[in-house]
Amino acid sequence: MSTSLATLITLAGAAGLSWWGAQSAAQFIETRSRQDVTLALATAGQDWVQVETNGLQVRLTGTAPTEVDRFRAVTQAGSVVDSSRVVDDMTVASRDAMVPPEFKVELLRNDDGISLIGLVPAKTDREALVRSLRTETAAPKVTDLLESAEYAVPEGWADVLAYGQRIAQMTPRAKISIAPGEVQVTALADSRAEKGRLEAELKRLAPKGIKLVTNISAPRPVVAPFTLRFLIDDQGPHFDACAADTEAAQKQILDAAVRAGVDGNPTCTLALGSPTADWAGAAVPAIKAVAALGKGSVTISDADIALIAPEDVPADTFAEVVATLEQTLPSVFSLQAQHEEKNDATQGPAEFAATLSSDGRLSMRGRIADQQMREAVDSFARARFSTVSGNLRGDASMPSGWTVRVIAALEALDGLANGTITVTPDLIELGGTSGDPRATERAAASLSRRLGAGADYQLAIRYDRWMDAALALPDGQYCVDQLNIVMSESEIGFEPSKSTIAGDPAPTLSRLAGIMQDCADYQIEAGGHTDSQGSEGFNADLSRARAQALLKAMSDAGIDTSNMTSRGYGESQPIASNDSEAGREENRRIEFRLLSESPVRNEPLPAPVVLEGVTSDASANAETAQPDVTAEQGRAMAYGPQLPTTESQESDGDADPAPVSTAPATLGVTEQFQTLDEREENLRLPVQTPDADTPRPEKRPDDEDGADETTAADETAE
């Protein structure tokens, strides 16, 4: 071959070998780069990236979840191969549409005003919202604390916002949560009836498609007398009645009841009218006392406590429980403890006991000599007390003069507002409460006058100024009537559509202060009233604000208003027609109302006056000497009203006879010298009961002649 051909063939072979070598090297580099980059991305968690190579180029494709993930993939590939070889053909997933924030308005309303808190769309007319609340309510101020955001207005936002404003007009003390499609209301109503009316009205006004959630509570009822009754009987421990003045007291009382063995979930009503702020301080130990007895009952009525133990409770246990309870009770409370006797009248010492409650009810138990003496005691008790009940049993072994001692003790008890007596052959015990500061001395004098010398007694009587007739303290209704008279004559007024007092209230406040000096212990409500002009919600708010303004003015003037509350009635209770200006003026008023007839005891009763001694001889005192009476008169006075005197008795003496008390001291002919046995014997005079042979007066003639004759006879006699 020629040299030229050989050269061509050599050059062609060399070129082919070079191309093949280059092609193989490129394929090796592509494969190796793809493998290395893929491995690096997978290790970094970027397995969503697809890696392609084209010569020296490394092409990245795929959809990155976020821009950050895309950047991380490029960086990771550049750490394996030269970053200039990396070609970014990746895309980023489209971002979701931004979710608008949760729009919500918290509308808080109380006596100080209305506050708006929350987030609303920017297109909400906040100025119109605030202006509407100021116009349609009598709130002192409206505070706008809202924030806004530039997002689309939720569907139905205007309706739910308008509904929330309407609720604000109807509820003076409430929290109203307004959100798209839902309104939540937490409010306080003036009464249970108002609570039901408000709930029904809110449901009626709710727009279609709006969910309403209500939590409306009513104020505590007024309980008079404030009562708790706990007992353990055959049904187990349970309440017959339970009232508590605070949530803390309620919890303490219920916890004590559970510890005493009450099953389930006992209830105790939160109420107003407690006679003292330490109600739980008496209720809890009283419940513990019944639990310690194992059986029995305790009744707390205002400041009076009655503990009754059944006959099967041991006497030493009863005495120990009573002593513990007396030491634990707050000083304002008065304890009356009664241990029932067994039916067997022959067991135990001779004893008579009686309990007088504040409402005049007398309960007696014990033994009396026989049926005739029992009738004498019962008749005397019914002549002195409004209601009498008891279990008196006959026992012939009673000591001499026993009935006279019992009647003397009952007469001494009649001088108290409430109390207890215990009569034994050796001692007469009397305790209780009276409105007479000298009740202890008077009771001792009464026993001496009726029993003579030598009878042991023990007295413990409390003085209660509210029962003292000499102080002439007003009752609650009188206080309210006087306050209303002052308001009807006062010149206190208010600025139109406002709760600001107009004019000089000093003269009226001075008169109110004079009345409240003796009336501050009563629970009294100041109720505001308006005419019918304006919306119902606005009038309710305005009347309430005006009543509060009056109480504040009274407090600022130094008047004790701690037991007074305010309430707004709006236009609901007119006393005149709203068709005339004169009638509307009468309807715009402040009116006081008594919430409880029992005064609130802010201070404990003074300690009882204790007196122990022996009766003296009353015959030596001329002032206590009683005139002689016949046995028949003595028996009549023991059993009931005095019999009419005969004509011969009326003619004896010219001087007016001294009043004769229906007491054992008058049950004898010669009072100063008769023993107890002689006085008791006078009670045994026979009583004749009418029968068929008893003479009776003839019927008066019915004819006119007979009537004329009778009249003529009467005239002749005259």
Side-chain angles (χ1 to χ4, degrees):
M1 295 183 294
S2 65
T3 304
S4 300
L5 180 61
T7 301
L8 291 173
I9 293 173
T10 301
L11 292 173
L17 290 173
S18 298
W19 178 87
W20 178 82
Q23 185 70 22
S24 298
Q27 289 179 353
F28 174 78
I29 294 174
E30 289 179 357
T31 302
R32 184 62 181 266
S33 298
R34 183 175 62 251
Q35 291 176 349
D36 291 346
V37 173
T38 301
L39 179 61
L41 291 172
T43 303
Q46 305 285 350
D47 51 1
W48 52 269
V49 183
Q50 287 82 43
V51 182
E52 299 176 3
T53 56
N54 183 12
L56 294 178
Q57 290 183 343
V58 178
R59 183 170 175 265
L60 304 180
T61 61
T63 302
T66 65
E67 186 66 32
V68 175
D69 291 325
R70 170 187 163 279
F71 177 77
R72 288 176 179 174
V74 173
T75 304
Q76 192 67 31
S79 66
V80 178
V81 299
D82 189 350
S83 59
S84 62
R85 296 169 54 193
V86 178
V87 178
D88 180 10
D89 284 340
M90 295 179 292
T91 60
V92 179
S94 60
R95 292 183 298 173
D96 296 335
M98 295 187 65
V99 178
E102 180 182 359
F103 292 119
K104 188 174 184 180
V105 175
E106 296 283 354
L107 196 155
L108 308 177
R109 183 167 187 198
N110 54 31
D111 296 337
D112 296 329
I114 298 176
S115 297
L116 295 168
I117 305 172
L119 181 66
V120 297
K123 293 184 179 180
T124 302
D125 191 346
R126 292 164 55 181
E127 292 183 0
L129 174 61
V130 173
R131 185 169 55 253
S132 174
L133 290 173
R134 286 175 177 167
T135 303
E136 296 299 329
T137 69
K141 63 179 179 178
V142 179
T143 305
D144 181 6
L145 301 176
L146 294 172
E147 296 181 356
S148 59
E150 193 67 46
Y151 288 93
V153 179
E155 182 180 357
W157 176 252
D159 292 339
V160 72
L161 196 59
Y163 181 47
Q165 295 178 66
R166 183 71 180 94
I167 297 175
Q169 299 172 17
M170 302 168 58
T171 53
R173 295 176 294 276
K175 173 186 175 182
I176 307 167
S177 300
I178 305 170
E182 182 178 355
V183 175
Q184 297 182 6
V185 182
T186 303
L188 178 65
D190 291 331
S191 63
R192 289 179 57 86
E194 178 67 15
K195 173 180 179 292
R197 187 198 68 79
L198 182 58
E199 288 177 339
E201 188 68 10
L202 291 178
K203 292 178 181 179
R204 186 184 68 82
L205 296 176
K208 186 177 181 180
I210 294 180
K211 179 182 178 182
L212 174 64
V213 180
T214 60
N215 181 18
I216 302 175
S217 57
R220 301 172 187 174
V222 177
V223 175
F226 212 70
T227 304
L228 182 146
R229 176 172 168 78
F230 180 80
L231 63 160
I232 301 178
D233 53 17
D234 296 338
Q235 300 177 3
H238 60 94
F239 284 110
D240 268 358
C242 183
D245 55 340
T246 64
E247 292 183 359
Q250 182 189 48
K251 185 178 185 303
Q252 294 177 35
I253 292 171
L254 294 180
D255 288 346
V258 171
R259 289 194 296 269
V262 176
D263 296 330
N265 296 317
T267 59
C268 193
T269 304
L270 279 174
L272 302 175
S274 172
T276 174
D278 199 9
W279 176 257
V284 171
I287 294 174
K288 290 181 179 179
V290 178
L293 293 174
K295 257 189 177 182
S297 66
V298 63
T299 302
I300 308 178
S301 179
D302 286 337
D304 298 325
I305 301 179
L307 177 67
I308 300 177
E311 57 188 26
D312 53 350
V313 174
D316 54 348
T317 301
F318 175 75
E320 181 180 354
V321 169
V322 171
T324 302
L325 182 58
E326 287 179 337
Q327 296 174 359
T328 309
L329 287 175
S331 56
V332 70
F333 290 90
S334 174
L335 175 64
Q336 300 173 8
Q338 178 179 344
H339 191 190
E340 296 179 348
E341 290 185 345
K342 295 184 178 180
N343 292 332
D344 187 0
T346 62
Q347 296 182 1
E351 183 179 280
F352 173 90
T355 301
L356 176 64
S357 62
S358 300
D359 56 359
R361 297 176 180 270
L362 180 72
S363 174
M364 302 184 296
R365 63 177 179 85
R367 286 175 280 171
I368 298 296
D370 52 33
Q371 178 64 28
Q372 191 174 13
M373 293 297 97
R374 183 162 52 211
E375 291 178 358
V377 172
D378 185 74
S379 177
F380 177 84
R382 294 183 185 280
R384 291 298 184 103
F385 306 99
S386 61
T387 304
V388 178
S389 62
N391 183 19
L392 301 180
R393 296 179 295 275
D395 186 354
S397 64
M398 289 295 96
S400 59
W402 178 255
T403 305
V404 177
R405 290 173 63 87
V406 168
I407 293 180
L410 287 174
E411 183 182 31
L413 179 63
D414 185 36
L416 307 183
N418 58 73
T420 59
I421 56 171
T422 302
V423 182
T424 63
D426 301 324
L427 182 66
I428 296 178
E429 296 180 79
L430 171 65
T433 306
S434 172
D436 184 356
R438 298 188 58 206
T440 304
E441 293 83 353
R442 295 184 188 279
S446 174
L447 293 175
S448 297
R449 184 170 61 250
R450 304 312 176 190
L451 298 178
D456 293 334
Y457 59 81
Q458 181 176 322
L459 311 176
I461 302 175
R462 291 176 182 268
Y463 169 70
D464 187 353
R465 61 185 294 268
W466 284 103
M467 299 178 181
D468 193 343
L471 297 181
L473 295 177
D475 59 18
Q477 191 57 51
Y478 176 83
C479 292
V480 168
D481 292 342
Q482 294 302 306
L483 292 174
N484 285 329
I485 290 174
V486 172
M487 290 305 300
S488 66
E489 298 174 351
S490 74
E491 297 181 356
I492 285 185
F494 296 90
E495 296 182 3
S497 301
K498 294 183 180 180
S499 59
T500 305
I501 295 179
D504 183 14
T508 299
L509 292 175
S510 177
R511 295 180 62 186
L512 294 177
I515 297 173
M516 290 299 294
Q517 285 182 351
D518 294 328
C519 298
D521 291 337
Y522 287 102
Q523 293 177 321
I524 299 175
E525 173 193 270
H529 302 265
T530 67
D531 56 32
S532 60
Q533 293 180 325
S535 67
E536 181 180 350
F538 178 85
N539 288 335
D541 293 339
L542 182 61
S543 61
R544 183 181 303 103
R546 287 179 171 177
Q548 292 170 349
L550 176 62
L551 288 190
K552 185 178 184 304
M554 293 174 64
S555 180
D556 293 343
I559 301 175
D560 184 3
T561 59
S562 57
N563 293 319
M564 300 185 72
T565 59
S566 60
R567 181 178 177 183
Y569 292 91
E571 60 188 73
S572 63
Q573 297 183 7
I575 59 175
S577 174
N578 282 301
D579 296 334
S580 64
E581 178 57 34
R584 289 192 293 269
E585 184 176 355
E586 287 188 54
N587 291 331
R588 296 190 295 267
R589 68 195 188 279
I590 302 292
E591 198 170 80
F592 292 96
R593 183 170 71 94
L594 183 65
L595 298 179
S596 174
E597 295 182 357
S598 301
V600 177
R601 297 185 184 273
N602 297 316
E603 298 178 356
L605 292 175
V609 178
V610 179
L611 181 63
E612 298 181 6
V614 181
T615 56
S616 59
D617 187 359
S619 61
N621 190 344
E623 294 181 0
T624 61
Q626 301 293 331
D628 294 342
V629 294
T630 64
E632 289 80 0
Q633 288 176 307
R635 177 173 179 79
M637 286 183 283
Y639 275 88
Q642 183 176 351
L643 294 175
T645 56
T646 62
E647 182 178 354
S648 59
Q649 292 171 336
E650 292 178 353
S651 61
D652 293 342
D654 297 332
D656 294 335
V660 181
S661 173
T662 57
T666 61
L667 300 181
V669 177
T670 56
E671 171 65 26
Q672 290 84 352
F673 305 100
Q674 283 191 321
T675 65
L676 294 183
D677 292 344
E678 294 171 334
R679 298 178 188 180
E680 185 164 333
E681 189 62 29
N682 289 331
L683 296 175
R684 300 185 180 278
L685 295 175
V687 177
Q688 294 182 352
T689 56
D691 53 24
D693 298 330
T694 301
R696 290 178 172 81
E698 297 290 339
K699 292 184 179 180
R700 296 176 64 85
D702 296 333
D703 58 302
E704 184 176 350
D705 295 338
D708 293 339
E709 292 175 0
T710 303
T711 303
D714 293 341
E715 292 176 352
T716 303
E718 292 176 358

